[in-house]
Amino acid sequence: MLETGQSPRVLIVDDECVIADSLALILNQNGFDATAVYSGEAAVETAATFNPDVLISDVVMGEMNGIELALRVSVLLPGCRVILISGNAATADLLHGAEAHGYHFEMLAKPVHPRVLLQCLAAPPSE
């Protein structure tokens, strides 16, 4: 839960550094406290100390994909909202697997337009 006047903390994860950094820059310019990391492993470590309100993660990444990351962060930080981004249509199967285990993650298609991302963050989490 955010304290009054506190900017929402957003952790952005994408193995394409330019995308992660660009999204963090856009969010920081729009009143969020955003930080970018470039792997699932780095995101788990960062989440433990940064305590994000929102995790935005690419799905298709190296060692740990975004679904695995989302599951780990959901256990570590049950109140953290998860928004996944992907340009790969095959990620639907991965999402269905997570949903079968009781997890629901929001999804945005890549490339993510800044206006769409900001609208998503302004809206209440979808159930």
Side-chain angles (χ1 to χ4, degrees), residues 67-89:
I67 302 289
E68 294 168 321
L69 170 61
L71 293 171
R72 289 184 64 180
V73 169
S74 293
V75 169
L76 180 67
L77 302 167
C80 184
R81 180 178 180 183
V82 175
I83 300 171
L84 299 171
I85 57 175
S86 180
N88 187 335

Side-chain angles (χ1 to χ4, degrees), residues 70-126:
L71 293 171
R72 289 184 64 180
V73 169
S74 293
V75 169
L76 180 67
L77 302 167
C80 184
R81 180 178 180 183
V82 175
I83 300 171
L84 299 171
I85 57 175
S86 180
N88 187 335
T91 59
D93 289 339
L94 294 171
L95 278 177
H96 292 306
E99 288 173 353
H101 289 92
Y103 293 93
H104 173 77
F105 305 123
E106 298 171 75
M107 176 66 91
L108 294 175
K110 275 177 136 179
V112 178
H113 190 283
R115 183 180 62 239
V116 172
L117 179 59
L118 292 170
Q119 287 172 343
C120 179
L121 289 169
S126 63

